[in-house]
Amino acid sequence: MFRMYCFNFCMARIRSALWLLSAKSPGYSWKMWSQSSIKRLNDDGIITPSRYLYQIGLIKTKKYNQSQWKPQVIKSILNNPVYLGHTVQGRKKSGLCQGQKQQHTQKSDWVIVENTHEPLIDEDTFRAVQAMSEQASKSYNANLGKHDHLGTTPNILRGLIFCADCGRPLVRYKSVTNKGTNRYYVYICPSHSADITACPKKYIHENELKKALLSALCHELELCADTQKLIKEYSRSPAAVRQYNSQERNLTSAKQALARAKSLYGSLYQNYVDRLMDEGEYVDLKRQYRAEIERAQAAITELEQQQFEQERRTVNNPWLKAFSGFQEEKELTDELAHALIERVEVHSDNRLEIKLKYRDEYEELARLLGVADKAVST
């Protein structure tokens, strides 16, 4: 509950805010009016109640010192009789012993004690604003399910489309043509939708987005096919053949050295028991053969790792394996999108920044093959 002296200090500001909230012009939709009111409140420097309470020390959490007017702040005011001079209790409830989280209660369950402090707004203005809000809610609820007969389509781009400015995931929004005969989907920025001053507008049709992504992926798949041909040519090149043969020779030699060292090490103790060597020779040879075993094992591990890395850079390259599995695809599918797309950022001019997966692996392969980077720009 607000303290009395808090009301006296911020009365003028809150009255100004509520006057703006009630000054709805004819022809405005509720959303347009709400957004324009938010902008004006912020531009005029009318601070929010929580920000004022922080400034006078009643709230200690620092985040409230930067709070701005937002739809949820306005909604809270529109439904709070405390601005009429009443004390309200029971707006929230929780059951700590039962492990129940705090939750809002129905208005019918509130306990209201009237005229406990000076009102910040007259009742007629407050009720008028509430009527606007309720009418907007009724209109929204009346339209729910109205176009269900048009059906829906799966959101195959879920979790992939982001706002280039605020970084939040774009929301897929279903729209219907004026005649109500067709439905389509658009992606919008939730930050801009909540507050037009918070982030530049993003509004892109899903079909347009899918078309651009499919084009980018088709380009990448063509590049994958061309790269496979280059890998075959590279594998037959004298340099690649020499490297492969050298690795095979070195690996064979290291395995032979390991087998020899293990054999000698295994027979060492029996030779000592048979008195073919004294204790000093036994200890020295044991140390020598153990060192040879360790060197041979290290050499084998390194050579096998070199072979693995060579294959990973060529025929088993993750980029190549991922994209080659979709070379027959002709349309954008859920599996294709999530297997190959890392992130898509949408700018205010609908320019797309497409980030595909396995970019580092492709660039490594491109350097090995000595080809120009023709992949989709990141």
Side-chain angles (χ1 to χ4, degrees), residues 264-277 282:
L264 292 173
Y265 185 85
S267 63
L268 193 60
Y269 181 73
Q270 187 61 45
N271 291 337
Y272 173 67
V273 171
D274 294 341
R275 298 182 181 276
L276 298 178
M277 63 183 70
Y282 170 73

Side-chain angles (χ1 to χ4, degrees), residues 142 180 208 283 310:
E208 177 185 345
V283 172
Q310 180 69 10

Side-chain angles (χ1 to χ4, degrees), residues 159-290:
L160 297 177
I161 315 301
F162 296 85
C163 174
D165 292 292
C166 69
R168 294 181 64 185
L170 295 191
V171 176
R172 186 181 188 238
Y173 184 80
K174 180 180 177 180
S175 293
V176 179
T177 56
N178 291 335
K179 294 182 179 180
T181 55
N182 292 297
R183 53 112 177 95
Y184 61 94
Y185 292 92
V186 296
Y187 283 84
I188 61 176
C189 174
S191 298
H192 176 85
S193 181
D195 179 2
I196 58 176
T197 65
C199 188
K201 181 179 180 180
K202 310 296 183 307
Y203 184 93
I204 185 169
H205 284 256
E206 184 180 56
N207 287 340
E208 177 185 345
L209 187 57
K210 285 182 176 180
K211 183 179 179 180
L213 293 178
L214 181 60
S215 176
L217 289 174
C218 286
H219 175 274
E220 195 82 352
L221 292 172
E222 290 175 2
L223 180 63
C224 177
D226 293 339
T227 304
Q228 286 178 317
K229 296 177 183 178
L230 290 175
I231 287 177
K232 290 181 180 180
E233 295 176 3
Y234 171 80
S235 299
R236 293 193 294 265
S237 68
V241 172
R242 284 195 302 271
Q243 183 181 28
Y244 175 79
N245 290 338
S246 175
Q247 288 177 340
E248 282 295 308
R249 286 195 301 270
N250 292 337
L251 185 58
T252 299
S253 177
K255 288 180 178 180
Q256 290 174 346
L258 177 62
R260 175 182 175 278
K262 283 185 174 181
S263 176
L264 292 173
Y265 185 85
S267 63
L268 193 60
Y269 181 73
Q270 187 61 45
N271 291 337
Y272 173 67
V273 171
D274 294 341
R275 298 182 181 276
L276 298 178
M277 63 183 70
D278 58 30
E279 184 176 354
E281 291 175 322
Y282 170 73
V283 172
D284 290 341
L285 288 173
K286 184 177 181 180
R287 185 184 302 111
Q288 175 185 330
Y289 294 151
R290 183 179 294 166

Side-chain angles (χ1 to χ4, degrees), residues 32 100 112 141 152 168 188 214 231 341 368:
M32 291 171 58
Q100 296 178 354
I112 302 177
N141 292 328
T152 60
R168 294 181 64 185
I188 61 176
L214 181 60
I231 287 177
I341 298 174
L368 177 67

Side-chain angles (χ1 to χ4, degrees), residues 3-270:
R3 295 187 181 179
M4 194 62 197
Y5 62 86
C6 169
F7 281 126
N8 292 333
F9 276 110
C10 67
M11 183 182 299
R13 292 185 181 275
I14 299 301
R15 278 177 176 160
S16 298
L18 287 175
W19 181 85
L20 286 171
L21 296 177
S22 65
K24 179 173 180 283
S25 301
Y28 262 35
S29 69
W30 174 263
K31 183 176 181 180
M32 291 171 58
W33 167 76
S34 177
Q35 290 181 339
S36 63
S37 296
I38 290 171
K39 185 177 187 303
R40 186 173 176 184
L41 288 167
N42 288 325
D43 290 347
D44 288 352
I46 300 176
I47 64 174
T48 62
S50 58
R51 187 172 183 178
Y52 180 80
L53 291 175
Y54 175 83
Q55 291 178 358
I56 65 174
L58 290 183
I59 292 179
K60 304 299 182 182
T61 307
K62 290 184 178 180
K63 69 177 183 179
Y64 291 112
N65 191 37
Q66 303 299 326
S67 66
Q68 297 286 313
W69 287 96
K70 294 182 179 180
Q72 59 267 33
V73 179
I74 292 179
K75 185 177 180 180
S76 175
I77 291 177
L78 297 181
N79 291 281
N80 194 349
V82 73
Y83 293 95
L84 291 174
H86 308 327
T87 296
V88 183
Q89 296 179 332
R91 296 183 67 195
K92 299 178 182 179
K93 68 176 182 179
S94 61
L96 298 179
C97 295
Q98 294 79 20
Q100 296 178 354
K101 295 182 179 180
Q102 189 179 77
Q103 55 185 330
H104 291 277
T105 60
Q106 297 293 327
K107 284 186 178 181
S108 58
D109 296 328
W110 294 358
V111 177
I112 302 177
V113 181
E114 297 184 350
N115 304 319
T116 58
H117 53 263
E118 183 180 353
L120 301 185
I121 194 70
D122 64 90
E123 187 162 350
D124 289 342
T125 301
F126 186 81
R127 298 304 178 198
V129 174
Q130 280 211 320
M132 298 174 197
S133 176
E134 290 173 1
Q135 181 59 43
S137 296
K138 288 180 180 178
S139 298
Y140 173 80
N141 292 328
N143 285 324
L144 287 178
K146 184 177 180 180
H147 302 290
D148 285 353
H149 64 282
L150 297 178
T152 60
T153 60
N155 182 13
I156 66 172
L157 300 178
R158 64 192 180 283
L160 297 177
I161 315 301
F162 296 85
C163 174
D165 292 292
C166 69
R168 294 181 64 185
L170 295 191
V171 176
R172 186 181 188 238
Y173 184 80
K174 180 180 177 180
S175 293
V176 179
T177 56
N178 291 335
K179 294 182 179 180
T181 55
N182 292 297
R183 53 112 177 95
Y184 61 94
Y185 292 92
V186 296
Y187 283 84
I188 61 176
C189 174
S191 298
H192 176 85
S193 181
D195 179 2
I196 58 176
T197 65
C199 188
K201 181 179 180 180
K202 310 296 183 307
Y203 184 93
I204 185 169
H205 284 256
E206 184 180 56
N207 287 340
E208 177 185 345
L209 187 57
K210 285 182 176 180
K211 183 179 179 180
L213 293 178
L214 181 60
S215 176
L217 289 174
C218 286
H219 175 274
E220 195 82 352
L221 292 172
E222 290 175 2
L223 180 63
C224 177
D226 293 339
T227 304
Q228 286 178 317
K229 296 177 183 178
L230 290 175
I231 287 177
K232 290 181 180 180
E233 295 176 3
Y234 171 80
S235 299
R236 293 193 294 265
S237 68
V241 172
R242 284 195 302 271
Q243 183 181 28
Y244 175 79
N245 290 338
S246 175
Q247 288 177 340
E248 282 295 308
R249 286 195 301 270
N250 292 337
L251 185 58
T252 299
S253 177
K255 288 180 178 180
Q256 290 174 346
L258 177 62
R260 175 182 175 278
K262 283 185 174 181
S263 176
L264 292 173
Y265 185 85
S267 63
L268 193 60
Y269 181 73
Q270 187 61 45

